[in-house]
Amino acid sequence: MGIPVLYIYKKVDLSRDWVKYVLLALICAISAVMAAFLSFHAVLIYVLPLLSAVQYRERMTLWVTYAVNDVTMTLSMLAGFYHGICDLNLLLGSNHTRDWYMEQWGAGTMQFSLEPDPVFTILFYGALPRAVILLAFTFILRYISITGHEDAQRIADLTYRKETDLGTHVYNKNKYEEMIADYYLGVDRLAAIFWDVNNLKTLSSVLYELSTDRRKVYRVGGDEFVMLIENPVETEIESMVESVSAALQEKNSQGEMPVSSAVGWAEGYGVDVRKIINEADAKMYENKTRGKESRK
């Protein structure tokens, strides 16, 4: 029964929606078969499908698995009673099947009475209590794992909205002020590159593609962006400036709306982050002024 599970895991696209339900159903079936031959020793084995289902972080998947688990558990108890290892072994310290006990009872060698309606007894006194216990366990898993995951996603979304300029998808000025006040003061070497451009969308898309964990981009004004580079390597500043310039020239050559920009940069120690930024900003305005004068 484990072969289909391994085959699906190795050969089938796990992103397909039906795969998870087939896998979980097979896990339920495998747990039920194992429990049928292990009697009450295997009560906790019914938790395995639930632990598998909760990895998908979906409420529906968890509840479907719980329902399938209840069905396979009930069938397992009935099959185990008639054809598996009998639960009487726990009391009598043996390892026989129900048929052996029935033969001994019929021969008069065992002096105890049998339940006249074993199916009802198994369902009411066995399957139902276990289903209730699994239900409680399912609620606990849903709250701890799925609800916690959903809360984390909401927090992450709120954090993204708080820190990101939604129009350009780079960091906003709030994040910028926070980082230069706390984070960048502890950076060894720091470089700042300022851009002022008349085509907001074009520049933001280019800068977004160039950003990394070490190179963060912020929108600090209407058309102004700054890239702060932690511990810049040799020629990295020039490389960033040239990459942006080449991208803007390509846009101009495509006959789209003319794009003009001014850039300035500076480098220094992280403790002087505001001085570095002001210097880069001043150079950018100098270049912008020279550009205007050259066009007159």
Side-chain angles (χ1 to χ4, degrees):
M1 295 186 67
I3 291 176
V5 176
L6 293 176
Y7 179 83
I8 292 174
Y9 183 77
K10 293 291 186 180
K11 299 295 185 179
V12 180
D13 183 5
L14 298 180
S15 63
R16 296 183 180 180
D17 195 53
W18 63 267
V19 171
K20 60 186 174 186
Y21 293 108
V22 173
L23 284 174
L24 292 170
L26 287 171
I27 293 173
C28 288
I30 292 171
S31 301
V33 171
M34 294 176 64
F37 293 95
L38 293 175
S39 187
F40 279 103
H41 296 87
V43 171
L44 290 179
I45 203 171
Y46 296 117
V47 176
L48 294 180
L50 298 177
L51 292 176
S52 300
V54 81
Q55 303 306 314
Y56 289 98
R57 312 286 187 180
E58 297 175 359
R59 295 172 185 263
M60 178 61 70
T61 302
L62 182 61
W63 286 115
V64 169
T65 303
Y66 168 75
V68 175
N69 205 19
D70 279 350
V71 173
T72 55
M73 176 190 65
T74 302
L75 296 175
S76 172
M77 295 183 70
L78 292 171
F81 179 75
Y82 288 103
H83 303 290
I85 302 299
C86 187
D87 290 333
L88 285 173
N89 291 321
L90 286 176
L91 302 176
L92 303 177
S94 58
N95 59 351
H96 299 291
T97 65
R98 176 183 179 275
D99 292 339
W100 184 89
Y101 286 111
M102 292 296 291
E103 292 174 1
Q104 299 301 311
W105 178 76
T109 57
M110 299 192 71
Q111 301 300 317
F112 57 85
S113 61
L114 293 178
E115 173 61 45
D117 190 356
V119 174
F120 174 80
T121 302
I122 291 172
L123 294 179
F124 192 78
Y125 293 103
L128 180 60
R130 291 184 186 183
V132 173
I133 293 172
L134 289 176
L135 178 63
F137 197 82
T138 303
F139 273 114
I140 293 172
L141 285 176
R142 190 198 73 170
Y143 179 79
I144 293 177
S145 181
I146 298 179
T147 303
H149 178 67
E150 291 173 348
D151 289 342
Q153 285 185 317
R154 283 193 290 270
I155 292 172
D157 182 62
L158 290 174
T159 302
Y160 176 81
R161 292 176 178 275
K162 175 187 174 185
E163 298 179 346
T164 307
D165 182 80
L166 299 181
T168 60
H169 302 293
V170 299
Y171 288 118
N172 59 23
K173 192 170 184 179
N174 290 333
K175 181 67 172 179
Y176 166 75
E177 294 291 347
E178 176 186 327
M179 294 290 281
I180 64 174
D182 300 321
Y183 178 76
Y184 287 116
L185 294 174
V187 175
D188 183 21
R189 297 288 298 176
L190 185 68
I193 311 176
F194 250 98
W195 282 276
D196 186 298
V197 67
N198 69 333
N199 191 321
L200 181 68
K201 182 177 292 187
T202 299
L203 180 63
S204 64
S205 62
V206 173
L207 294 178
Y208 182 77
E209 292 177 358
L210 294 174
S211 63
T212 65
D213 289 339
R214 195 171 54 83
R215 295 194 298 260
K216 295 181 176 64
V217 179
Y218 306 86
R219 182 184 180 187
V220 296
D223 294 326
E224 294 182 353
F225 294 82
V226 61
M227 174 186 287
L228 295 179
I229 307 174
E230 302 172 36
N231 301 309
V233 298
E234 187 177 359
T235 72
E236 184 173 8
I237 299 174
E238 292 82 358
S239 176
M240 292 297 101
V241 173
E242 291 174 2
S243 296
V244 172
S245 177
L248 295 180
Q249 289 178 6
E250 181 180 357
K251 293 293 183 182
N252 280 332
S253 65
Q254 293 174 355
E256 298 179 5
M257 185 178 74
V259 180
S260 61
S261 67
V263 61
W265 62 89
E267 184 180 0
Y269 295 102
V271 292
D272 300 321
V273 55
R274 293 189 181 276
K275 178 181 177 182
I276 297 169
I277 291 172
N278 289 337
E279 183 180 347
D281 189 23
K283 290 182 178 179
M284 183 269 291
Y285 273 104
E286 289 177 7
N287 292 332
K288 186 176 182 179
T289 301
R290 283 199 298 267
K292 288 181 178 179
E293 292 175 351
S294 64
R295 289 192 295 269
K296 291 180 179 179

